[in-house]
Amino acid sequence: MNAAARGCWHCGEPLPATGAPVARIDGVDRAMCCHGCRAAAEWIAQLGLADYYRLRSAPAPRATALPDGDRTMSPWSRPELERHVVRDLGDDCREVILLIEGLRCAACVWLIERAVGALPGTLDVQVNAAARRARVTWRDSEGSLAQILTTLARAGYSALPLDAAALDDTRRREHRAALKRLVVAGFGSMQAMMYASGLYFGAFDGIDATTRDLLRWIGLLVATPVVFYAARPFFSGALRTLRARRLGVDVPVAIAIAAIYGASIVETLRGGAEVYFDSVSMFVFILLTGRYLEMRARHRAGDLTDALARATPTFADRRREDGTLERVGAIELAVGDRVHVAAGERVPADGLLDSARCRVDESLVSGESAPVARLRGDTLIAGSVLVEGPAELRVERVGAATTLAGIVALVTRAATTRPRLAAAGERAAAGFVARILALATLTAIGWSFVDPSRAFTATLAVLVVSCPCAFALAVPAAITRALAVLARHGVLVVRPDAIEGLARATHVIFDKTGTLTEPSLAVEHIETWRGIDREAALRLAAALARGSRHPAAQTIAARIGAGTALPAAAQLHAEPGGGLEGCVEGRTLRLGRADYALRCESIPPEFADVIVLADEAGTLAAFHLSERLRSDAHAAIDALAADGLILEIASGDSATRVAAVAARLGIARSHARQRPADKLARLAALRAQGARVIAVGDGINDAPVLAGADVSVALASGAALAQATSDIALAGERLGALPEARGIARRTLAILRQNQRWALIYNLSVVPLGALGFVPPWLAAIGMSASSLLVVLNALRIGRGAERAPASPLAHVEAAA
């Protein structure tokens, strides 16, 4: 049965019940699921590339009808946009790296190379199916990036040009250098083994001295680039650690390589009995193979770059002053621009919804796969997908201020911080290296008395087999993997040491307002005194409140209509845990807790649950606010309690409100009317009793309190992500991510301990065998590389088989990368 009988000839999708479009391919009518696939199939056939359908091993991605050129790829022809992604190679040559969606098999590579290669001016097309990358070079006078992208779109592939700065990133350079060294070592080891076989066989057949010396000199010739080029990272690493007056894992490896190579040269010059050019070449090749696999696994575990590149919108439809739309790059948007977003497209920047309503998929930051409804005036997040639209957006944040940029900032910050566990592991590895060198010295001395002919190989085996590479990798491999898994759950770790604290915590202290309850409150009603009307009181209160991020202040400020003019608040001062004070219309006003606003020692009973506006003469107004629990608060609290944690609430709100929330959530311990100093005192008391405390708040208003905890967790979103002063940020304000993060943290420490135990057991087991001469150097190299690789592969188990957050585009994209 052919593809047409099963579904669309092009993409394999089900055909419509009636009226399926038909394309004529190689003289045969083929049914298509849509007009986009028909156009793509006909275009492929017109280029003479219909063999693609015969060669492919998987259906093509579903194509879409290509809109007019002005709204597709033409913006990439503009120099101000093109310069961000196109590299100038000189001599009229240009280069671009493309990230291609829908690249599935070798036939896709064949089609892309021929379709793009047929464009005028194209010099070279290289497609990497595994990495979903294409590198295209062309002559600028004959071709353009817009033509390349349009050609790929017509073939059914979505291509995203990668930023020019990413072309030379550290990981790409590291991968290239490692691969080149691996190729040199592999070629050298094969050649050295071939010539060494002649020496081995000749030893039995009585090879003449001239032929023997020739084979040895050829072995030296092929082994030299292996030692001085392929093995250079080992020598560089050893020299770097020795200059720092430390002993790293590269030291014994470098000594072993130098010793084997040096001894072989000496034996060649003096016509000795044995040379080891084949051994040193194979030794370097095996070590580099192990390190190359470790590097690939490490990059796989920690690389979110591709996922973020896919999530970042490329284009935006900006509305001109006359109401028409122009297609521009998302990087060209400015605050205040009006943007049109069609259904199914990604939101290009953070902004306020100008349309009546829409539904968006914000799982990128929240982890919640269900689309959420947004009404006029609500915030839309860059990178979220418009499920129901279209929508009009007024841009509020671009560039580094967006939610997506906040995620990048936190991930980058975590990746550049060395955890305490890693530093401890490096110190332990350095001590282990010192003991290895001492043991190797003793082995050489011992064998020199027992059997001097075996002293050299036994010493080399000890140096290699006991190298603590696996021990040194145990911590960074586990931490790197954990950071990536947590990020996919919407848990952004700013300080990697927090993973250990999260796993070993005994207590959790929650703030209430905006943490256990929804950050958006509601003003139920306003009471006024001294003849002031409600609107006037609200205007004065909003003038103070708009300068604060506290949920209660934001609720009062939001009660004023968007177009209402507010008086200016001068000398504005925020008292943590108290409220706001400022000069409005010539008089000093205070807004906040009653004892703060009224300058009294205790709160009058009638003001127990309200926000008070007062001046020097007394009360002006009281604002009654209502709140509701977060939708996932019950589940999160139950999960943390079931995990054995002791839970408390410490809030600045009234005793009545705090007790009500504690009762609804089943939290036995609660503390009301807590100022920051009171919360810090509570944290200090718990820690003095030996408790390890997690503090959970909003990350900005609770910054002093969070700083006093063993682990601080902030619920933050949007621009607040990059501003949160916590160890961990729960992106999208999903409280349910906290118990998930604790589970992953505990799994991380368990696997980390497994890795360390394995490395220790391995070294204790094989060192005696090497010292006794039972392990040749080549087998020692295999054992060391295998143990290191096992540690990395074991770290990749973190996050597998555990309960995961709802699937998000970020997780799907990273899994495909």
Side-chain angles (χ1 to χ4, degrees):
M1 181 181 290
N2 60 27
R6 293 193 304 269
C8 176
W9 173 255
H10 181 73
C11 71
E13 293 284 337
L15 297 173
T18 59
V22 175
R24 195 164 187 81
I25 309 296
D26 282 346
V28 180
D29 289 336
R30 304 293 188 181
M32 305 289 170
C33 65
C34 64
H35 291 285
C37 283
R38 185 189 67 179
E42 290 176 342
W43 179 77
I44 291 171
Q46 289 168 8
L47 288 178
L49 302 176
D51 277 349
Y52 161 73
Y53 295 103
R54 178 177 56 82
L55 298 172
R56 65 180 180 176
S57 59
R62 181 169 183 168
T64 56
L66 198 66
D68 59 276
D70 182 61
R71 287 181 39 77
T72 53
M73 304 303 173
S74 58
W76 286 112
S77 61
R78 293 157 55 184
E80 64 268 26
L81 183 58
E82 187 175 301
R83 69 171 179 264
H84 291 279
V85 296
V86 174
R87 170 185 282 178
D88 185 355
L89 301 179
D91 241 358
D92 196 37
C93 292
R94 299 290 187 270
E95 178 193 62
V96 69
I97 304 295
L98 303 173
L99 186 63
I100 301 180
E101 296 286 357
L103 208 166
R104 300 178 179 177
C105 63
C108 293
V109 176
W110 181 89
L111 175 62
I112 291 171
E113 288 180 344
R114 281 156 180 77
V116 177
L119 291 175
T122 301
L123 299 175
D124 186 37
V125 182
Q126 298 176 6
V127 181
N128 185 331
R132 291 176 172 80
R133 298 286 198 280
R135 175 183 173 271
V136 184
T137 56
W138 71 95
R139 295 199 179 279
D140 192 48
S141 58
E142 300 177 49
S144 68
L145 176 59
Q147 290 177 344
I148 294 170
L149 297 179
T150 301
T151 298
L152 289 170
R154 295 189 67 175
Y157 299 97
S158 174
L160 173 66
L162 294 183
D163 190 277
L167 300 180
D168 294 317
D169 62 43
T170 303
R171 287 186 176 180
R172 185 166 177 262
R173 291 197 301 270
E174 181 186 11
H175 182 269
R176 276 188 171 181
L179 192 59
K180 286 191 289 187
R181 288 191 169 91
L182 185 61
V183 169
V184 170
F187 179 79
S189 62
M190 286 190 295
Q191 295 298 310
M193 287 294 291
M194 182 177 68
Y195 297 122
S197 63
L199 292 173
Y200 297 147
F201 295 139
F204 296 102
D205 297 335
I207 188 172
D208 63 273
T210 303
T211 304
R212 182 200 64 187
D213 291 343
L214 176 63
L215 292 177
R216 287 183 174 182
W217 282 105
I218 295 176
L220 171 62
L221 183 65
V222 298
T224 297
V226 174
V227 172
F228 286 95
Y229 174 71
R232 183 177 177 181
F234 303 111
F235 292 111
S236 300
L239 185 61
R240 187 165 52 248
T241 56
L242 290 175
R243 283 175 175 171
R245 298 183 179 181
R246 293 188 295 110
L247 291 174
V249 295
D250 286 329
V251 172
V253 173
I255 292 175
I257 294 172
I260 298 172
Y261 182 72
S264 298
I265 292 178
V266 171
E267 291 294 296
T268 300
L269 292 174
R270 71 183 184 90
E274 297 287 343
V275 293
Y276 308 96
F277 294 122
D278 58 327
S279 297
V280 71
S281 300
M282 184 61 69
F283 176 48
V284 172
F285 176 68
I286 293 172
L287 290 176
L288 288 176
T289 300
R291 291 206 174 183
Y292 179 77
L293 294 175
E294 291 165 15
M295 180 196 67
R296 290 293 302 270
R298 173 166 44 88
H299 287 184
R300 175 76 174 166
D303 190 9
L304 293 178
T305 306
D306 285 356
L308 292 172
R310 287 183 175 92
T312 305
T314 306
F315 295 118
D317 291 328
R318 183 168 59 192
R319 194 168 292 282
R320 300 186 181 98
E321 292 184 3
D322 61 2
T324 59
L325 295 176
E326 62 173 336
R327 190 78 158 172
V328 299
I331 59 176
E332 298 178 83
L333 293 177
V335 175
D337 284 348
R338 290 190 63 202
V339 176
H340 175 85
V341 185
E345 292 185 354
R346 291 191 180 275
V347 178
D350 290 357
L352 298 180
L353 179 64
D354 262 356
S355 304
R357 68 182 306 277
C358 69
R359 287 170 62 82
V360 290
D361 178 359
E362 295 181 350
S363 55
L364 174 68
V365 292
S366 69
E368 295 292 346
S369 58
V372 294
R374 291 286 180 253
L375 303 177
R376 189 187 304 275
D378 288 346
T379 298
L380 298 184
I381 299 172
S384 57
V385 179
L386 191 66
V387 178
E388 292 180 8
E392 294 288 324
L393 174 77
R394 186 170 298 278
V395 175
E396 278 206 324
R397 290 186 293 269
V398 296
T402 64
T403 299
L404 217 52
I407 293 174
V408 174
L410 291 185
V411 172
T412 303
R413 200 184 313 168
T416 54
T417 302
R418 188 172 63 162
R420 183 188 61 81
L421 286 172
E426 289 174 5
R427 288 193 297 269
F432 203 88
V433 169
R435 289 188 284 273
I436 289 171
L437 297 177
L439 180 60
T441 303
L442 293 176
T443 300
I445 294 172
W447 277 106
S448 65
F449 290 105
V450 177
D451 186 354
S453 65
R454 299 180 63 183
F456 185 66
T457 56
T459 302
L460 290 179
V462 170
L463 283 172
V464 176
V465 79
S466 58
C467 180
C469 293
F471 194 84
L473 278 171
V475 174
I479 295 296
T480 300
R481 173 65 180 176
L483 291 174
V485 172
L486 288 168
R488 290 202 300 270
H489 281 70
V491 180
L492 304 177
V493 179
V494 180
R495 189 174 62 89
D497 282 337
I499 294 176
E500 180 185 9
L502 192 62
R504 295 177 175 172
T506 58
H507 290 65
V508 183
I509 292 184
F510 292 94
D511 181 38
K512 178 184 70 71
T513 306
T515 302
L516 294 173
T517 62
E518 293 285 354
S520 55
L521 307 175
V523 179
E524 285 189 339
H525 67 278
I526 304 172
E527 290 184 84
T528 61
W529 284 263
R530 294 162 46 198
I532 188 173
D533 62 61
R534 293 180 180 178
E535 291 302 320
L538 187 58
R539 284 180 64 255
L540 294 175
L544 292 174
R546 66 180 176 182
S548 172
R549 290 182 177 271
H550 193 279
Q554 291 182 337
T555 299
I556 292 173
R559 181 68 180 265
I560 289 286
T564 304
L566 296 177
Q571 302 173 12
L572 191 63
H573 169 71
E575 176 69 24
L580 300 161
E581 180 178 0
C583 184
V584 181
E585 295 182 340
R587 57 177 171 172
T588 300
L589 299 176
R590 290 178 296 277
L591 178 72
R593 284 174 28 163
D595 55 344
Y596 170 78
L598 297 174
R599 300 294 197 213
C600 57
E601 292 295 327
S602 60
I603 298 176
E606 64 271 21
F607 293 145
D609 297 319
V610 298
I611 301 297
V612 173
L613 175 68
D615 60 9
E616 297 301 331
T619 306
L620 291 172
F623 299 86
H624 295 257
L625 307 180
S626 63
E627 60 185 356
R628 63 182 186 275
L629 290 177
R630 288 183 179 271
S631 58
D632 59 349
H634 269 294
I637 295 300
D638 291 345
L640 292 171
D643 203 19
L645 291 168
I646 299 173
L647 310 179
E648 298 186 12
I649 299 177
S651 173
D653 210 343
S654 68
T656 304
R657 289 181 179 271
V658 174
V661 169
R664 291 172 63 186
L665 293 175
I667 298 177
R669 304 182 183 184
S670 62
H671 310 274
R673 296 301 181 192
Q674 297 283 294
R675 295 181 180 273
D678 301 324
K679 295 180 182 180
L680 285 171
R682 178 59 185 164
L683 287 172
L686 288 174
R687 297 179 71 182
Q689 297 169 12
R692 295 173 181 259
V693 186
I694 302 172
V696 186
D698 64 12
I700 297 174
N701 299 302
D702 297 322
V705 179
L706 296 181
D710 293 283
V711 179
S712 56
V713 180
L715 280 75
S717 63
L721 275 173
Q723 301 170 16
T725 56
S726 60
D727 301 324
I728 296 173
L730 303 183
E733 306 183 2
R734 193 170 64 88
L735 194 60
L738 183 57
E740 295 170 7
R742 177 169 161 83
I744 294 170
R746 296 180 69 177
R747 177 69 168 165
T748 299
L749 289 194
I751 286 183
L752 191 153
R753 287 192 292 268
Q754 289 175 9
N755 285 345
Q756 290 178 326
R757 283 197 296 267
W758 156 252
L760 186 61
I761 292 171
Y762 165 78
N763 281 284
L764 292 178
S765 301
V766 299
V767 167
L769 297 176
L772 293 174
F774 295 125
V775 181
W778 64 268
L779 184 58
I782 292 177
M784 189 197 73
S785 298
S787 66
S788 301
L789 184 59
L790 183 63
V791 164
V792 176
L793 294 177
N794 191 40
L796 292 179
R797 293 170 52 227
I798 296 173
R800 293 181 180 175
E803 183 178 353
R804 296 177 57 89
S808 71
L810 190 62
H812 290 315
V813 169
E814 188 180 357

